[in-house]
Amino acid sequence: MNKNKSLIIIIVVLAIIIAGVSFFAFHQMQQNKEMSELFAIEKMEMENEYSTFATQYDELQIQINNDSLREKLESEKLKTQRLLEELRQVKTSNAAEIMRLKKELKTVRAVLRSYVIQIDSLNKINAALQEENKAVKSKYTAATREISNLSKEKESLNKQVTLASQLDATNIVTEPLNKRNREAKRAKDVKKLAISFTIVKNITAKTGNKTVYVRIAKPDNEVLTKSESNRFAYEDREISYSIKKMIEYTGEEQTVTVYWDVEEFMPSGTYRVYVFADGNMIGQNSFTLK
């Protein structure tokens, strides 16, 4: 009786132990399953982060022109891609490896953040430099424009000074004379042309000896001249003259008279007289022979 009772007790104890072990094993299995599911979710999130970080490294490289910094970004991108491949090959049951790659992910995140801050700072500096460069260019353009305007003003002033310093011949009168040095009434009686004019006072003109040239153009515009070699420089070319006279100009008003001896046929009509000095035409007028 006692033996049976002891056996029953032993069987009950064993049953309790087996039940306890089975419950613990089942509970542990449930925990492992839950942990595996959590690791699977965490692994997927980590893969997404690694993939996003690799893409961000590509985007950062586009924003900069610094080759050295680009190489560093490329190196970090390759490292991120390598860790992503390792993570993809890790089983969800490998908790230790997942934890290691999770720590690596924190490092990658921190490094990426530091590069983002660095590149943002560089972009701000570049933007400031571009604005400064734009301002400098604007100032340079304004200065160039001002210099150009000053040059034009100077050129204009030089022209004005040049024009102001030119001689001016006024009161140009041509008197046709006959052989008795009296006024000729008809063209056929003209033996000499007395041409007089006044060079006005000009304190800005250069004083000294000056050569005055007179051109007499007939009604058909042919210029009277004694020789084809009688020419002078005017506006980058050589033109013929009728009369040449040297005068001493003092800056004060003076009257000049020159003479043309008529040795050719003088048709009736309107003649024009042009006076030149210092390479400029300083006066003109006309007269008529009947």
Side-chain angles (χ1 to χ4, degrees):
M1 186 70 178
N2 290 332
K3 288 183 178 179
N4 290 336
K5 188 176 180 180
S6 298
L7 182 60
I8 291 170
I9 291 171
I10 291 170
I11 291 171
V12 170
V13 170
L14 288 173
I16 292 172
I17 291 171
I18 291 170
V21 170
S22 297
F23 177 78
F24 178 78
F26 176 77
H27 181 69
Q28 190 67 35
M29 185 175 67
Q30 285 294 108
Q31 282 187 330
N32 289 341
K33 183 179 179 183
E34 290 175 2
M35 288 296 294
S36 179
E37 289 176 353
L38 288 173
F39 280 140
I41 294 171
E42 191 168 17
K43 179 185 175 185
M44 184 179 298
E45 291 176 349
M46 288 167 60
E47 286 181 7
N48 289 336
E49 281 196 77
Y50 271 120
S51 180
T52 300
F53 291 162
T55 302
Q56 287 181 337
Y57 275 118
D58 276 333
E59 292 173 353
L60 288 176
Q61 289 183 67
I62 297 172
Q63 298 178 26
I64 59 172
N65 294 320
N66 188 305
D67 291 337
S68 176
L69 189 55
R70 274 186 173 179
E71 289 178 3
K72 291 179 181 179
L73 291 172
E74 181 65 18
S75 176
E76 291 298 329
K77 184 189 78 172
L78 293 175
K79 178 182 177 181
T80 303
Q81 290 175 335
R82 176 176 56 78
L83 292 171
L84 175 60
E85 288 303 316
E86 290 181 16
L87 179 63
R88 284 172 176 168
Q89 295 175 14
V90 170
K91 294 181 179 180
T92 55
S93 59
N94 194 339
E97 190 64 11
I98 289 176
M99 292 303 295
R100 181 186 72 82
L101 291 170
K102 190 173 183 180
K103 289 180 180 178
E104 291 283 1
L105 182 62
K106 289 182 180 179
T107 302
V108 170
R109 186 184 294 113
V111 171
L112 179 60
R113 186 182 296 112
S114 70
Y115 277 119
V116 169
I117 294 171
Q118 183 179 350
I119 291 171
D120 183 62
S121 177
L122 287 173
N123 286 340
K124 288 179 180 178
I125 292 172
N126 286 336
L129 288 174
Q130 287 177 0
E131 285 299 317
E132 185 178 350
N133 186 41
K134 185 178 179 181
V136 170
K137 284 184 177 179
S138 178
K139 290 180 180 178
Y140 174 78
T141 302
T144 302
R145 189 182 299 113
E146 185 175 354
I147 291 171
S148 177
N149 290 337
L150 287 173
S151 296
K152 289 179 180 177
E153 288 179 14
K154 181 181 178 182
E155 184 180 352
S156 178
L157 286 172
N158 287 337
K159 287 181 179 178
Q160 290 178 30
V161 170
T162 301
L163 289 172
S165 64
Q166 288 181 11
L167 299 182
D168 186 21
T170 62
N171 300 323
I172 302 172
V173 177
T174 302
E175 185 179 5
L177 303 174
N178 58 25
K179 61 182 179 180
R180 295 179 182 178
N181 284 333
R182 294 180 181 178
E183 183 182 358
K185 300 297 183 180
R186 295 177 296 181
K188 67 177 183 175
D189 296 329
V190 177
K191 298 300 178 181
K192 185 184 294 185
L193 296 175
I195 303 170
S196 62
F197 48 88
T198 300
I199 297 180
V200 300
K201 179 179 179 178
N202 190 333
I203 59 174
T204 63
K206 186 180 294 185
T207 59
N209 292 332
K210 294 181 181 292
T211 302
V212 177
Y213 297 93
V214 177
R215 278 166 56 96
I216 306 169
K218 296 194 295 183
D220 61 1
N221 290 324
E222 180 186 352
V223 176
L224 297 174
T225 183
K226 298 299 183 183
S227 172
E228 286 296 323
S229 62
N230 290 349
R231 308 181 76 81
F232 69 102
Y234 176 67
E235 293 186 351
D236 300 325
R237 67 184 192 276
E238 295 283 326
I239 61 175
S240 60
Y241 65 83
S242 305
I243 309 165
K244 177 175 74 172
K245 184 173 183 176
M246 181 75 71
I247 65 170
E248 184 177 354
Y249 184 68
T250 62
E252 297 297 326
E253 179 178 294
Q254 68 184 92
T255 299
V256 179
T257 302
V258 294
Y259 298 92
W260 172 261
D261 292 325
V262 176
E263 298 173 345
E264 58 279 296
F265 172 70
M266 299 288 283
S268 58
T270 299
Y271 291 72
R272 299 202 65 84
V273 176
Y274 305 90
V275 182
F276 297 80
D278 297 331
N280 302 302
M281 187 174 73
I282 64 173
Q284 62 173 304
N285 206 342
S286 63
F287 67 94
T288 303
L289 294 180
K290 297 180 179 179

PDB file of all heavy atoms in Angstrom, residues 3-15:
ATOM      1  N   LYS A   3       3.968   1.372  -0.936  1.00  0.00           N
ATOM      2  CA  LYS A   3       4.721   1.437  -2.204  1.00  0.00           C
ATOM      3  C   LYS A   3       3.880   2.077  -3.294  1.00  0.00           C
ATOM      4  O   LYS A   3       4.368   2.888  -4.093  1.00  0.00           O
ATOM      5  CB  LYS A   3       5.164   0.037  -2.633  1.00  0.00           C
ATOM      6  CG  LYS A   3       6.278  -0.525  -1.759  1.00  0.00           C
ATOM      7  CD  LYS A   3       6.706  -1.877  -2.296  1.00  0.00           C
ATOM      8  CE  LYS A   3       7.877  -2.451  -1.459  1.00  0.00           C
ATOM      9  NZ  LYS A   3       8.309  -3.772  -1.933  1.00  0.00           N
ATOM     10  N   ASN A   4       2.657   1.700  -3.351  1.00  0.00           N
ATOM     11  CA  ASN A   4       1.783   2.268  -4.386  1.00  0.00           C
ATOM     12  C   ASN A   4       1.589   3.769  -4.174  1.00  0.00           C
ATOM     13  O   ASN A   4       1.543   4.554  -5.139  1.00  0.00           O
ATOM     14  CB  ASN A   4       0.415   1.585  -4.353  1.00  0.00           C
ATOM     15  CG  ASN A   4       0.504   0.130  -4.835  1.00  0.00           C
ATOM     16  OD1 ASN A   4       1.433  -0.198  -5.584  1.00  0.00           O
ATOM     17  ND2 ASN A   4      -0.420  -0.715  -4.387  1.00  0.00           N
ATOM     18  N   LYS A   5       1.473   4.125  -2.904  1.00  0.00           N
ATOM     19  CA  LYS A   5       1.296   5.537  -2.594  1.00  0.00           C
ATOM     20  C   LYS A   5       2.519   6.353  -3.005  1.00  0.00           C
ATOM     21  O   LYS A   5       2.414   7.439  -3.576  1.00  0.00           O
ATOM     22  CB  LYS A   5       1.027   5.687  -1.094  1.00  0.00           C
ATOM     23  CG  LYS A   5       0.648   7.105  -0.697  1.00  0.00           C
ATOM     24  CD  LYS A   5       0.305   7.130   0.786  1.00  0.00           C
ATOM     25  CE  LYS A   5      -0.083   8.558   1.178  1.00  0.00           C
ATOM     26  NZ  LYS A   5      -0.421   8.645   2.629  1.00  0.00           N
ATOM     27  N   SER A   6       3.697   5.801  -2.757  1.00  0.00           N
ATOM     28  CA  SER A   6       4.967   6.503  -3.115  1.00  0.00           C
ATOM     29  C   SER A   6       5.093   6.624  -4.626  1.00  0.00           C
ATOM     30  O   SER A   6       5.549   7.644  -5.174  1.00  0.00           O
ATOM     31  CB  SER A   6       6.160   5.727  -2.547  1.00  0.00           C
ATOM     32  OG  SER A   6       6.094   5.689  -1.147  1.00  0.00           O
ATOM     33  N   LEU A   7       4.711   5.542  -5.283  1.00  0.00           N
ATOM     34  CA  LEU A   7       4.794   5.561  -6.747  1.00  0.00           C
ATOM     35  C   LEU A   7       3.881   6.617  -7.328  1.00  0.00           C
ATOM     36  O   LEU A   7       4.243   7.342  -8.273  1.00  0.00           O
ATOM     37  CB  LEU A   7       4.424   4.182  -7.282  1.00  0.00           C
ATOM     38  CG  LEU A   7       4.505   3.999  -8.797  1.00  0.00           C
ATOM     39  CD1 LEU A   7       5.942   4.260  -9.279  1.00  0.00           C
ATOM     40  CD2 LEU A   7       4.059   2.590  -9.193  1.00  0.00           C
ATOM     41  N   ILE A   8       2.701   6.722  -6.738  1.00  0.00           N
ATOM     42  CA  ILE A   8       1.745   7.714  -7.217  1.00  0.00           C
ATOM     43  C   ILE A   8       2.310   9.124  -7.028  1.00  0.00           C
ATOM     44  O   ILE A   8       2.202  10.001  -7.885  1.00  0.00           O
ATOM     45  CB  ILE A   8       0.398   7.558  -6.486  1.00  0.00           C
ATOM     46  CG1 ILE A   8      -0.288   6.246  -6.907  1.00  0.00           C
ATOM     47  CG2 ILE A   8      -0.528   8.754  -6.780  1.00  0.00           C
ATOM     48  CD1 ILE A   8      -1.500   5.882  -6.086  1.00  0.00           C
ATOM     49  N   ILE A   9       2.941   9.306  -5.867  1.00  0.00           N
ATOM     50  CA  ILE A   9       3.511  10.635  -5.574  1.00  0.00           C
ATOM     51  C   ILE A   9       4.602  10.978  -6.574  1.00  0.00           C
ATOM     52  O   ILE A   9       4.685  12.097  -7.096  1.00  0.00           O
ATOM     53  CB  ILE A   9       4.057  10.667  -4.128  1.00  0.00           C
ATOM     54  CG1 ILE A   9       2.888  10.592  -3.129  1.00  0.00           C
ATOM     55  CG2 ILE A   9       4.885  11.944  -3.880  1.00  0.00           C
ATOM     56  CD1 ILE A   9       3.316  10.387  -1.683  1.00  0.00           C
ATOM     57  N   ILE A  10       5.438   9.946  -6.849  1.00  0.00           N
ATOM     58  CA  ILE A  10       6.539  10.162  -7.800  1.00  0.00           C
ATOM     59  C   ILE A  10       5.977  10.511  -9.182  1.00  0.00           C
ATOM     60  O   ILE A  10       6.463  11.427  -9.874  1.00  0.00           O
ATOM     61  CB  ILE A  10       7.437   8.917  -7.862  1.00  0.00           C
ATOM     62  CG1 ILE A  10       8.199   8.770  -6.544  1.00  0.00           C
ATOM     63  CG2 ILE A  10       8.423   9.013  -9.048  1.00  0.00           C
ATOM     64  CD1 ILE A  10       8.933   7.431  -6.403  1.00  0.00           C
ATOM     65  N   ILE A  11       4.931   9.761  -9.565  1.00  0.00           N
ATOM     66  CA  ILE A  11       4.343   9.987 -10.887  1.00  0.00           C
ATOM     67  C   ILE A  11       3.758  11.400 -10.967  1.00  0.00           C
ATOM     68  O   ILE A  11       3.913  12.121 -11.967  1.00  0.00           O
ATOM     69  CB  ILE A  11       3.261   8.940 -11.183  1.00  0.00           C
ATOM     70  CG1 ILE A  11       3.918   7.567 -11.371  1.00  0.00           C
ATOM     71  CG2 ILE A  11       2.452   9.327 -12.420  1.00  0.00           C
ATOM     72  CD1 ILE A  11       2.933   6.411 -11.444  1.00  0.00           C
ATOM     73  N   VAL A  12       3.095  11.827  -9.888  1.00  0.00           N
ATOM     74  CA  VAL A  12       2.486  13.156  -9.853  1.00  0.00           C
ATOM     75  C   VAL A  12       3.569  14.228  -9.953  1.00  0.00           C
ATOM     76  O   VAL A  12       3.448  15.217 -10.688  1.00  0.00           O
ATOM     77  CB  VAL A  12       1.655  13.335  -8.573  1.00  0.00           C
ATOM     78  CG1 VAL A  12       1.230  14.810  -8.428  1.00  0.00           C
ATOM     79  CG2 VAL A  12       0.438  12.434  -8.597  1.00  0.00           C
ATOM     80  N   VAL A  13       4.654  14.011  -9.163  1.00  0.00           N
ATOM     81  CA  VAL A  13       5.763  14.998  -9.191  1.00  0.00           C
ATOM     82  C   VAL A  13       6.371  15.090 -10.585  1.00  0.00           C
ATOM     83  O   VAL A  13       6.632  16.177 -11.115  1.00  0.00           O
ATOM     84  CB  VAL A  13       6.850  14.616  -8.151  1.00  0.00           C
ATOM     85  CG1 VAL A  13       8.098  15.487  -8.346  1.00  0.00           C
ATOM     86  CG2 VAL A  13       6.298  14.778  -6.735  1.00  0.00           C
ATOM     87  N   LEU A  14       6.584  13.893 -11.181  1.00  0.00           N
ATOM     88  CA  LEU A  14       7.145  13.893 -12.550  1.00  0.00           C
ATOM     89  C   LEU A  14       6.227  14.583 -13.538  1.00  0.00           C
ATOM     90  O   LEU A  14       6.664  15.313 -14.443  1.00  0.00           O
ATOM     91  CB  LEU A  14       7.408  12.450 -12.993  1.00  0.00           C
ATOM     92  CG  LEU A  14       8.585  11.733 -12.314  1.00  0.00           C
ATOM     93  CD1 LEU A  14       8.635  10.259 -12.721  1.00  0.00           C
ATOM     94  CD2 LEU A  14       9.904  12.430 -12.682  1.00  0.00           C
ATOM     95  N   ALA A  15       4.934  14.330 -13.352  1.00  0.00           N
ATOM     96  CA  ALA A  15       3.964  14.961 -14.252  1.00  0.00           C
ATOM     97  C   ALA A  15       4.008  16.481 -14.120  1.00  0.00           C
ATOM     98  O   ALA A  15       3.946  17.248 -15.110  1.00  0.00           O
ATOM     99  CB  ALA A  15       2.558  14.433 -13.947  1.00  0.00           C
TER     100      ALA A  15
END
